[in-house]
């Protein structure tokens, strides 16, 4: 049993850290460590004093004994924690070691103990994101209609009039300007299109950074003219806007504009989503739409959600990490319907989803999952909770109700 192996290894590492591991447990740990370099690095990291101190603080508010027992019950496996005599010998260390190890291994399913049967929390998957990821399928469209395949074109790209150039290095396209002053340059536009299953970074001529999520498109002037700095976005992007009090920065979407001077924020404006969401991390932004009667100034940790069909907007306070985690290579959700979560997954893995049992669409999920992991890993982890089964047929995921 996949989960049984995970729990046995977690228990063995817990006892090793407490200095109480048996010879068999030590052999099991060594065999697992030798199986791959990734296992070896993970063991070294999660047994370091710095790692344990950090996670001891994070996990202090949980009842680890109850969590361990309930996880075992949910998985249909039985592993006893140390007896009280052993606890006195090794102190309270087991109370957090077991939870830390299960989280660090990150290959099973983890429920936060909320008492809600349908709320399912998928464990964190720790996998290093590949550095200098190639921009698969990312295209740059120039003013003259020429299309540059950035996956195949590395280095300098001539992108505009009067010597305007950009440099592609891995998953980043950075603009620079040579020649005459920007404000006197001929105004031209470029457009970056990121397909499903990819992501890309763009550094504009003013220093503003744009992180583009999958299935997204941005159109922008090269270089920026006098007055405002305006770009047009379809899809999702995280922006770090360079401050310029004389030239406000405006992100236009189909339904509204977001106006800033210098800040960090996320915009999700996919055409097939029922909402447009603007989430502020730092600074201040003004979200407006004269046509739809929207006008609001956001403060950090606030989010404006615009309902397209009802043409209504609401500002709420949020934990921004759930809306910006994609920029750092993670899927991170809390209490999200499966249908909403899978829409994000579809864009990233470039897959279609079919629900054989429609009721599973409303199952509430939470997860912290490295999206650089394969779709096979995603399927395995999500099936471990037992609530759903996922069958893959080529580019389609068929989701069925579990046990």
């Amino acid at each position: 049993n996949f989960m049984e192996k995970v729990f046995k290894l977690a228990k063995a590492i817990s006892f090793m850290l407490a200095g109480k591991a048996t010879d068999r447990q030590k052999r099991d740990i060594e065999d697992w460590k030798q199986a791959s370099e990734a296992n070896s690095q993970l063991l070294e990291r999660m047994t370091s004093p710095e790692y344990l101190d950090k996670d001891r603080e994070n996990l202090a508010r949980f009842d680890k004994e109850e969590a361990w027992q309930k996880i075992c019950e949910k998985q249909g496996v039985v592993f006893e924690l140390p007896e009280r005599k052993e606890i006195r010998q090794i102190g309270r260390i087991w109370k957090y070691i077991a939870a830390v190890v299960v989280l660090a291994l990150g290959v099973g399913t983890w429920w936060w103990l909320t008492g809600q049967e349908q709320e399912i929390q998928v464990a964190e998957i720790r996998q290093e994101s590949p550095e200098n990821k190639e921009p698969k399928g990312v295209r740059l469209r120039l003013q003259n209609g020429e299309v540059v395949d950035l996956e195949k074109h590395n280095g300098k790209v001539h992108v505009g009039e009067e010597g305007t150039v950009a440099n592609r290095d891995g998953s980043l396209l950075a603009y620079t300007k040579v020649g005459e002053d920007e404000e006197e340059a001929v105004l031209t536009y470029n457009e970056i299109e990121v397909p499903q299953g990819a992501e890309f970074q763009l550094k504009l001529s003013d220093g503003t950074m744009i992180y583009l999520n999958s299935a997204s498109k941005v159109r922008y002037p090269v270089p920026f003219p006098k007055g405002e700095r305006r770009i047009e976005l379809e899809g999702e992007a995280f922006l770090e806007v360079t401050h310029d009090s004389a030239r406000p920065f405006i992100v236009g979407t189909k339904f509204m504009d977001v106006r800033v001077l210098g800040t960090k924020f996320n915009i999700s404006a996919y055409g097939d989503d029922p909402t447009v969401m603007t989430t502020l991390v730092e600074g201040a932004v003004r979200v407006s739409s004269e046509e739809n009667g929207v006008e609001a100034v956001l403060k950090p940790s606030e989010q404006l959600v615009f309902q397209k069909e009802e043409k209504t907007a609401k500002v709420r306070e949020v934990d921004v990490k759930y809306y910006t985690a994609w920029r750092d290579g993670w899927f991170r959700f809390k209490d999200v319907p499966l249908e909403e979560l899978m829409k994000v997954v579809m864009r990233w893995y470039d897959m279609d989803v079919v629900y054989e049992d429609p009721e599973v669409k409303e199952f509430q999920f939470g997860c912290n999952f490295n999206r650089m992991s394969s779709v096979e890993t995603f399927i395995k982890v999500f099936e471990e909770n037992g609530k759903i089964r996922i069958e893959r047929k080529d580019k389609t995921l068929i989701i069925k109700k579990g046990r």
Side-chain angles (χ1 to χ4, degrees), residues 181-297:
D181 188 273
E182 279 194 0
E183 293 187 350
E184 302 301 326
V186 176
L187 182 62
T188 59
Y189 283 86
N190 286 180
E191 181 178 274
I192 292 284
E193 184 169 1
V194 182
Q196 293 192 155
E199 59 185 6
F200 197 66
Q201 299 174 24
L202 179 65
K203 186 177 183 180
L204 300 179
S205 58
D206 69 337
T208 292
M209 282 294 301
I210 303 178
Y211 301 82
L212 289 162
N213 206 347
S214 55
S216 298
K217 182 190 302 184
V218 63
R219 183 174 184 266
Y220 48 94
V222 183
F224 285 115
K226 294 180 180 178
E228 67 182 26
R229 299 170 289 169
R230 184 181 182 89
I231 67 172
E232 300 293 332
L233 172 70
E234 180 182 331
E236 184 170 21
F238 182 92
L239 293 92
E240 298 176 352
V241 178
T242 299
H243 179 75
D244 186 343
S245 58
R247 294 190 299 171
F249 195 100
I250 299 172
V251 181
T253 71
K254 183 177 180 180
F255 290 90
M256 62 185 60
D257 290 345
V258 179
R259 183 185 182 94
V260 303
L261 292 177
T263 190
K264 296 181 181 180
F265 63 104
N266 194 83
I267 298 181
S268 182
Y270 286 105
D272 59 347
D273 279 351
T275 62
V276 177
M277 294 190 295
T278 302
T279 308
L280 182 63
V281 178
E282 292 180 10
V285 298
R286 181 184 299 277
V287 185
S288 63
S289 172
E290 187 174 334
E291 178 184 351
N292 296 300
V294 176
E295 183 77 25
V297 176

Side-chain angles (χ1 to χ4, degrees), residues 110-112 114 118-125 213-214 236 266 268 270 273 275 277 279 303 316 318-327 329-349 355 363-371 378 381-382:
W110 180 271
W111 283 270
W112 296 130
T114 63
Q118 296 296 345
E119 183 179 342
I120 306 161
Q121 183 75 20
V122 178
E124 175 178 346
I125 299 298
N213 206 347
S214 55
E236 184 170 21
N266 194 83
S268 182
Y270 286 105
D273 279 351
T275 62
M277 294 190 295
T279 308
Q303 179 184 76
R316 61 184 183 179
V318 298
D319 186 340
V320 298
K321 69 175 179 285
Y322 289 103
Y323 301 93
T324 62
W326 66 266
R327 190 196 67 167
W330 296 88
F331 292 125
R332 181 171 289 168
F333 299 97
K334 182 179 181 182
D335 305 340
V336 173
L338 179 62
E339 184 177 26
E340 183 179 330
L341 188 154
M342 290 305 297
K343 188 174 288 188
V344 176
V345 172
M346 287 166 55
R347 293 184 187 121
W348 179 245
Y349 288 117
Y355 297 92
F363 285 4
Q364 299 289 305
F365 276 76
C367 72
N368 191 24
F369 186 91
N370 189 317
R371 67 184 197 161
F378 171 85
V381 169
F382 267 69

